[in-house]
Amino acid sequence: MRRIGSILALAALAVLGAAPAAGAAEGDPTGRPWEVAATVYVPGQEAFEATGALGFLNTGDGSIQQMPFDYLPYGIAYAPDARTLYTVGFSVGRGGPGVFAAHDASTGELLWATIPGEAGEAASWYMSVALTPDGALAMTTGRGEARIDLATQAVERFSACAESIASGVAITPDGRTAWFVCAAPGTPSGAELRAFDVATLELVGSMQIPSADVAAIAITPDGATAVLAGSARWPSQQVVRVELATGELTALDQHTDGTISISPDGTRAYVGTASELPAAEPNPSVIALPDAVAPHAEPGAGALHAIDVAAMTIPVSSAFANYDANPVVTPDGARIHAVTYEQVEGTPISGISTRDAGSLAGLAETPLDGIGVHVAVTPDQAPVARLTASEPHSPVTFDASASSVEFGTIAEYAWDFGDGTTTVTSTPVVQHEYASAGQYTATVRLTSSGGTSTEDVFTGQQLLRNGDPSAIATVVVTVPRTLPATGFDGAWIAAVAAALLFIGAIALVATQRRRARR
């Protein structure tokens, strides 16, 4: 009987120890900052002695590292998982063949490269690149287009533009269609937009862009609209919006040179220019080149422009020292990174400028050793959700503090408790009280500070946000019928413990009395 009493007393203490501690520790998973990669041209002492480099800007502490290479990288794009960086360019020297290269995104180390052309072959160099959203294929432009299988490194050459030159390429968010800008600068016919099936390389559509020397292209995340602008090689006097389903064109008179990028929500496009013209009202029916065409400005004079894609107006511009700005937007849509260039006492000075995406105000200037060409920002990655729940009582404590994120932080926890109740928090631990007993499947969906959850955001050349189902976690909880479904505040535990202690005490007293009688 003494043994029974001791066991009951220990059981009472165990029940008391099982009560959850108030204010469970909350995690704050934090990942690393995004990086901005830049292709860099490093001039040599003599003609055709230039070398290339990749620059990596840490957006957290502002530090930058450069790695030299024996080819001249030009266009640049990150793989969806941000592990690999792809560049296109050409070999050093006169008539050098085109190069498509893969680099380790964390170290810059060259992983592999293809040289599909021969030295001296005119149609062998590449200028721009677009990856499919799944990261399986790359499409290039320049003199002679190519599709590269990124798993096998196989290259298939083809001609996207017949007699003209493919100056830009963008892939639709579903990964099925590649739109090439076939530039014909200075001709009355303007440019042509041609669509190719990515899988078969068959021509599936085309449309004329009359009297517009556009050369660069980006596509809104919904895949409905393309925005075209000038490029470094062929400056344009206009920005043109194209509805891809109907072919409807809307033009904005604005001199541009360099690439174009679109915000993650698709509402703004960003372009650079080296000489400004006043913005004109959109003209949805006719695209007419202005009578007075501004000449391409000297290096050092320029601006960045934010374009309202729906209205085709310019709500904000900012002075910007550049020749070809080539702006890119960060995955959260908050900042712009663009290439700067100016001559200071005959010496070229170049770097990466960081701007606020709303006002285009300058935030930081980071110099490069050489002349910056293009930039790309690491795609934000979906958080990896982990979820546990206290059982079997109500309220239930749900804990997602074991979740992780690669870039930035976890900004939002969206909860669905399985009983029709939902809530959103900025912290990983939450309690929920179920009104009745039963089995419930609770879910948490995480969103990173870069805006990434389960859905991709893609704007033509690479992913901005690599969404993944890993951002969701579920757990099944059971609220038993034999225990109260409410009031899980420790009161019932104290009552049970007190009863067990009382029974244990009685058992001990009874044992002592029996011994006394003996």
Coordinates of all heavy atoms in Angstrom, one line a residue, residues 153-201:
Q153 N 23.9 20.5 -70.9 CA 24.8 21.5 -71.5 C 24.7 21.5 -73.1 O 25.5 22.0 -73.8 CB 26.2 21.3 -71.1 CG 26.4 21.4 -69.6 CD 27.8 21.1 -69.1 OE1 28.8 21.3 -69.9 NE2 28.0 20.6 -67.9
A154 N 23.7 20.8 -73.6 CA 23.5 20.7 -75.0 C 23.0 22.0 -75.6 O 22.1 22.7 -75.0 CB 22.5 19.6 -75.4
V155 N 23.6 22.5 -76.7 CA 23.2 23.7 -77.3 C 22.6 23.5 -78.7 O 23.1 22.7 -79.5 CB 24.5 24.6 -77.5 CG1 24.1 25.9 -78.2 CG2 25.2 24.9 -76.2
E156 N 21.4 24.1 -78.9 CA 20.8 24.0 -80.2 C 20.7 25.4 -80.8 O 20.0 26.3 -80.2 CB 19.4 23.4 -80.1 CG 18.7 23.2 -81.4 CD 17.5 22.3 -81.4 OE1 17.2 21.8 -80.3 OE2 16.8 22.2 -82.4
R157 N 21.4 25.6 -81.9 CA 21.4 26.9 -82.5 C 20.2 27.1 -83.4 O 19.8 26.1 -84.1 CB 22.7 27.1 -83.4 CG 24.0 27.1 -82.5 CD 24.2 28.4 -81.9 NE 24.4 29.5 -82.9 CZ 25.5 29.7 -83.6 NH1 26.6 29.0 -83.4 NH2 25.6 30.7 -84.4
F158 N 19.6 28.3 -83.5 CA 18.5 28.6 -84.5 C 18.5 30.1 -84.7 O 19.2 30.8 -84.1 CB 17.2 28.1 -83.9 CG 16.7 28.9 -82.8 CD1 15.6 29.8 -82.9 CD2 17.2 28.7 -81.5 CE1 15.2 30.5 -81.9 CE2 16.7 29.4 -80.4 CZ 15.7 30.3 -80.6
S159 N 17.7 30.5 -85.7 CA 17.6 31.9 -86.1 C 16.2 32.3 -85.7 O 15.2 31.8 -86.3 CB 17.9 32.1 -87.6 OG 17.7 33.4 -87.9
A160 N 16.1 33.3 -84.8 CA 14.8 33.7 -84.4 C 14.3 34.9 -85.2 O 13.1 35.1 -85.3 CB 14.9 34.2 -82.9
C161 N 15.2 35.6 -85.9 CA 14.8 36.8 -86.5 C 15.1 36.9 -88.0 O 15.1 38.0 -88.6 CB 15.4 38.0 -85.8 SG 14.8 38.2 -84.1
A162 N 15.5 35.9 -88.6 CA 15.8 35.9 -90.1 C 16.8 36.9 -90.4 O 18.0 36.8 -90.0 CB 14.5 36.1 -90.9
E163 N 16.4 38.0 -91.1 CA 17.4 39.0 -91.6 C 17.8 40.0 -90.6 O 18.8 40.7 -90.7 CB 16.8 39.7 -92.8 CG 16.4 38.8 -94.0 CD 17.7 38.1 -94.5 OE1 18.8 38.7 -94.5 OE2 17.5 36.9 -94.9
S164 N 17.0 40.2 -89.5 CA 17.3 41.2 -88.5 C 18.0 40.5 -87.3 O 18.3 39.3 -87.4 CB 16.0 41.9 -88.0 OG 15.1 41.0 -87.6
I165 N 18.2 41.3 -86.3 CA 19.0 40.8 -85.1 C 18.1 40.7 -83.9 O 17.3 41.6 -83.6 CB 20.2 41.7 -84.8 CG1 21.2 41.7 -86.0 CG2 20.9 41.3 -83.5 CD1 22.3 42.7 -85.9
A166 N 18.2 39.6 -83.2 CA 17.4 39.4 -82.0 C 18.2 40.2 -80.9 O 19.3 39.8 -80.5 CB 17.3 37.9 -81.6
S167 N 17.6 41.2 -80.4 CA 18.2 42.1 -79.4 C 17.8 41.8 -78.0 O 18.5 42.2 -77.0 CB 18.0 43.6 -79.8 OG 16.6 43.8 -79.7
G168 N 16.7 41.2 -77.8 CA 16.2 40.9 -76.5 C 15.3 39.7 -76.5 O 14.7 39.3 -77.5
V169 N 15.2 39.0 -75.4 CA 14.3 37.8 -75.3 C 13.7 37.8 -73.9 O 14.3 38.2 -72.9 CB 15.1 36.5 -75.5 CG1 16.2 36.3 -74.6 CG2 14.1 35.3 -75.5
A170 N 12.4 37.4 -73.8 CA 11.7 37.2 -72.5 C 10.9 36.0 -72.7 O 10.3 35.7 -73.7 CB 10.9 38.4 -72.1
I171 N 10.8 35.2 -71.6 CA 10.0 34.0 -71.6 C 8.7 34.2 -70.7 O 8.8 34.9 -69.7 CB 10.8 32.8 -71.0 CG1 12.0 32.5 -72.0 CG2 10.0 31.5 -70.9 CD1 13.0 31.5 -71.5
T172 N 7.6 33.6 -71.2 CA 6.4 33.8 -70.4 C 6.4 33.1 -69.1 O 7.2 32.1 -69.0 CB 5.2 33.3 -71.2 OG1 5.4 32.0 -71.7 CG2 5.0 34.2 -72.5
P173 N 5.7 33.5 -68.1 CA 5.7 32.9 -66.8 C 5.4 31.4 -66.7 O 5.8 30.7 -65.8 CB 4.7 33.7 -65.9 CG 4.7 35.0 -66.6 CD 4.9 34.8 -68.1
D174 N 4.6 30.9 -67.8 CA 4.3 29.5 -67.8 C 5.5 28.7 -68.4 O 5.4 27.4 -68.5 CB 3.0 29.2 -68.5 CG 3.0 29.6 -70.0 OD1 4.1 30.0 -70.5 OD2 1.9 29.6 -70.6
G175 N 6.5 29.4 -68.9 CA 7.7 28.7 -69.5 C 7.5 28.1 -70.9 O 8.4 27.5 -71.4
R176 N 6.4 28.4 -71.5 CA 6.1 27.8 -72.8 C 6.5 28.6 -74.0 O 6.8 28.0 -75.1 CB 4.6 27.5 -72.9 CG 4.1 26.5 -71.9 CD 2.6 26.3 -72.0 NE 2.0 25.4 -71.0 CZ 0.7 25.1 -70.9 NH1 -0.2 25.7 -71.7 NH2 0.4 24.3 -70.0
T177 N 6.6 29.9 -73.9 CA 6.8 30.7 -75.1 C 7.9 31.7 -74.8 O 8.0 32.3 -73.7 CB 5.5 31.6 -75.4 OG1 4.4 30.7 -75.5 CG2 5.7 32.3 -76.7
A178 N 8.8 31.8 -75.8 CA 9.9 32.8 -75.8 C 9.6 33.9 -76.8 O 9.4 33.6 -78.0 CB 11.2 32.1 -76.1
W179 N 9.5 35.1 -76.3 CA 9.3 36.3 -77.2 C 10.6 37.0 -77.5 O 11.3 37.4 -76.6 CB 8.3 37.3 -76.5 CG 6.9 36.8 -76.5 CD1 6.3 36.2 -75.5 CD2 5.9 37.0 -77.5 NE1 5.0 35.9 -75.8 CE2 4.7 36.4 -77.0 CE3 5.9 37.6 -78.8 CZ2 3.6 36.4 -77.8 CZ3 4.8 37.6 -79.5 CH2 3.6 37.1 -79.0
F180 N 11.0 37.0 -78.8 CA 12.2 37.7 -79.2 C 11.9 39.0 -79.8 O 10.9 39.1 -80.6 CB 12.9 36.8 -80.2 CG 13.6 35.6 -79.7 CD1 12.9 34.4 -79.5 CD2 14.9 35.6 -79.3 CE1 13.5 33.3 -79.0 CE2 15.6 34.5 -78.8 CZ 14.8 33.3 -78.6
V181 N 12.7 40.0 -79.5 CA 12.6 41.3 -80.1 C 13.6 41.3 -81.3 O 14.8 41.2 -81.1 CB 12.9 42.5 -79.2 CG1 12.8 43.8 -79.9 CG2 12.0 42.4 -77.9
C182 N 13.0 41.4 -82.5 CA 13.8 41.4 -83.7 C 14.0 42.9 -84.1 O 13.1 43.5 -84.6 CB 13.2 40.7 -84.8 SG 12.9 38.9 -84.4
A183 N 15.2 43.4 -83.8 CA 15.5 44.8 -84.0 C 15.9 45.1 -85.4 O 16.6 44.4 -86.1 CB 16.6 45.3 -83.1
A184 N 15.3 46.2 -85.9 CA 15.7 46.7 -87.3 C 15.8 48.3 -87.1 O 15.0 49.0 -87.6 CB 14.6 46.4 -88.3
P185 N 16.8 48.7 -86.4 CA 17.0 50.1 -86.1 C 17.1 51.0 -87.3 O 17.7 50.7 -88.3 CB 18.3 50.2 -85.3 CG 19.0 48.9 -85.7 CD 18.0 47.9 -85.9
G186 N 16.3 52.1 -87.3 CA 16.4 53.1 -88.3 C 15.5 52.8 -89.5 O 15.5 53.6 -90.5
T187 N 14.8 51.7 -89.5 CA 14.0 51.3 -90.7 C 12.5 51.7 -90.4 O 12.1 51.7 -89.3 CB 14.0 49.8 -90.9 OG1 13.4 49.1 -89.8 CG2 15.4 49.3 -91.1
P188 N 11.8 52.1 -91.5 CA 10.4 52.5 -91.3 C 9.5 51.4 -90.7 O 8.5 51.7 -90.0 CB 9.9 52.8 -92.7 CG 11.2 53.1 -93.5 CD 12.2 52.2 -92.8
S189 N 9.9 50.1 -90.8 CA 9.0 49.1 -90.3 C 9.2 48.9 -88.8 O 8.3 48.2 -88.2 CB 9.4 47.8 -91.0 OG 10.8 47.4 -90.8
G190 N 10.2 49.5 -88.2 CA 10.4 49.3 -86.8 C 10.8 47.9 -86.4 O 11.6 47.3 -87.2
A191 N 10.4 47.5 -85.3 CA 10.8 46.1 -84.8 C 9.7 45.1 -85.0 O 8.5 45.5 -85.2 CB 11.2 46.2 -83.3
E192 N 10.1 43.9 -84.8 CA 9.1 42.8 -84.8 C 9.2 42.0 -83.6 O 10.3 41.7 -83.1 CB 9.3 41.9 -86.1 CG 8.2 40.8 -86.2 CD 8.5 39.9 -87.4 OE1 9.6 40.0 -88.0 OE2 7.6 39.1 -87.7
L193 N 8.1 41.6 -83.0 CA 8.1 40.7 -81.9 C 7.7 39.3 -82.3 O 6.6 39.1 -82.9 CB 7.0 41.2 -80.9 CG 7.2 40.8 -79.4 CD1 8.6 41.1 -78.9 CD2 6.1 41.5 -78.6
R194 N 8.5 38.3 -82.1 CA 8.3 37.0 -82.6 C 8.2 36.0 -81.4 O 9.1 36.0 -80.6 CB 9.3 36.5 -83.6 CG 9.6 37.6 -84.7 CD 10.5 37.0 -85.8 NE 9.7 36.2 -86.8 CZ 10.3 35.4 -87.7 NH1 11.6 35.2 -87.7 NH2 9.5 34.8 -88.6
A195 N 7.2 35.1 -81.5 CA 7.0 34.1 -80.4 C 7.4 32.7 -80.9 O 7.0 32.3 -82.0 CB 5.6 34.1 -80.0
F196 N 8.2 32.0 -80.0 CA 8.6 30.7 -80.3 C 8.2 29.7 -79.2 O 8.3 30.1 -78.0 CB 10.2 30.6 -80.5 CG 10.6 31.2 -81.8 CD1 10.8 32.6 -81.9 CD2 10.9 30.4 -82.9 CE1 11.2 33.1 -83.1 CE2 11.3 31.0 -84.1 CZ 11.5 32.3 -84.2
D197 N 7.8 28.5 -79.6 CA 7.5 27.5 -78.7 C 8.9 27.0 -78.1 O 9.8 26.6 -78.8 CB 6.8 26.3 -79.3 CG 6.4 25.2 -78.4 OD1 7.3 24.6 -77.8 OD2 5.2 25.0 -78.2
V198 N 9.0 27.1 -76.8 CA 10.3 26.8 -76.1 C 10.7 25.3 -76.3 O 11.8 25.0 -76.5 CB 10.2 27.2 -74.6 CG1 11.5 26.6 -73.9 CG2 10.1 28.7 -74.4
A199 N 9.7 24.5 -76.3 CA 10.0 23.0 -76.4 C 10.4 22.6 -77.8 O 11.3 21.8 -78.0 CB 8.8 22.2 -76.0
T200 N 9.7 23.2 -78.9 CA 10.0 22.8 -80.2 C 10.8 23.8 -81.1 O 11.2 23.4 -82.2 CB 8.6 22.5 -80.9 OG1 7.9 23.7 -81.0 CG2 7.8 21.5 -80.1
L201 N 10.9 25.0 -80.6 CA 11.5 26.1 -81.3 C 10.7 26.5 -82.6 O 11.3 27.1 -83.5 CB 13.0 25.8 -81.7 CG 13.9 25.6 -80.5 CD1 15.3 25.4 -81.0 CD2 13.9 26.9 -79.6

